[in-house]
Amino acid sequence: MVAPRAGDGSIVTEDERPEPQRVADERATLVGFLDFHRATLEWKCAGLSPEQLARRAVPPSTMSLLGLVRHLADVERGWFDRVETGVRRPPVYYSADDPDGDFDGAVGEPAVVEDAFASWRGAVDEARAITARTPLDATFEHEREGTTSFRWVLTHMIEEYARHNGHADLLRQVIDGSTGE
């Protein structure tokens, strides 16, 4: 069952994720799919304890739902910083010395969970503000990839979330049997 969402013409699923509009311009379509995937990550994490959020996938992987939230906070910051300023701020959860810190540091402590979600939500809010004021054709110089458009960044972010939401679906199923797209 779906119901209209006020204002933008999108619909909301039973689980409260905003579905992208079926007929929209390019920007609304890209933003709609990105917001759907952001909401999917949050939905996959909803109602779990810190210990459950930090539960690791199959060894030797250190992947967890909490690690995905931390990872995607840094991904949001990294790409949208570049769009806005051309420069990326240092990541919050990993470094050259600790390249898996986003996952390795995802431990089942309430303060760690609170920090991760606050960081992720803050990064998403910043990204939405940047998205609202940036033309799709805007470009920046990526340090390794060269000239990159904002349109590419939005498409890449959809791909990034879609891939990790597949991981999240499997992680959640192992934790409590919950399934769903």
Side-chain angles (χ1 to χ4, degrees):
M1 174 177 209
V2 293
R5 176 166 221 154
D8 67 359
S10 64
I11 53 177
V12 177
T13 63
E14 265 182 44
D15 53 43
E16 299 299 316
R17 291 177 296 155
E19 290 275 353
Q21 297 177 49
R22 299 279 178 184
V23 178
D25 64 18
E26 182 181 13
R27 174 181 291 276
T29 300
L30 291 169
V31 170
F33 273 97
L34 182 52
D35 281 341
F36 174 80
H37 281 293
R38 287 168 172 155
T40 297
L41 177 66
E42 195 156 19
W43 176 53
K44 290 295 173 181
C45 296
L48 297 177
S49 69
E51 294 78 19
Q52 289 172 312
L53 287 167
R55 183 174 174 178
R56 305 291 192 218
V58 179
S61 174
T62 59
M63 187 179 292
S64 66
L65 289 168
L66 183 57
L68 289 173
V69 171
R70 290 162 52 103
H71 172 71
L72 287 164
D74 275 336
V75 170
E76 291 267 3
R77 285 170 39 107
W79 282 109
F80 287 93
D81 280 357
R82 288 179 176 113
V83 167
E84 183 84 338
T85 66
V87 178
R88 179 181 190 189
R89 289 177 281 180
V92 174
Y93 297 110
Y94 69 91
S95 66
D97 293 335
D98 188 11
D100 293 324
D102 42 2
F103 292 99
D104 293 341
V107 296
E109 298 172 8
V112 174
V113 171
E114 192 174 310
D115 172 75
F117 277 93
S119 180
W120 176 71
R121 287 182 183 120
V124 167
D125 288 346
E126 289 174 1
R128 285 182 175 138
I130 291 166
T131 298
R133 63 180 173 259
T134 304
L136 293 176
D137 290 333
T139 62
F140 63 94
E141 291 301 314
H142 188 277
E143 63 274 10
R144 290 184 318 269
E145 305 299 330
T147 304
T148 304
S149 75
F150 181 53
R151 175 182 287 104
W152 185 92
V153 170
L154 289 175
T155 304
H156 173 69
M157 291 300 298
I158 293 165
E159 177 271 330
E160 182 87 10
Y161 271 96
R163 179 168 25 94
H164 289 313
N165 282 337
H167 300 137
D169 194 40
L170 293 171
L171 288 162
R172 181 66 189 246
Q173 187 174 8
V174 168
I175 292 167
D176 68 0
S178 294
T179 59
E181 62 178 57

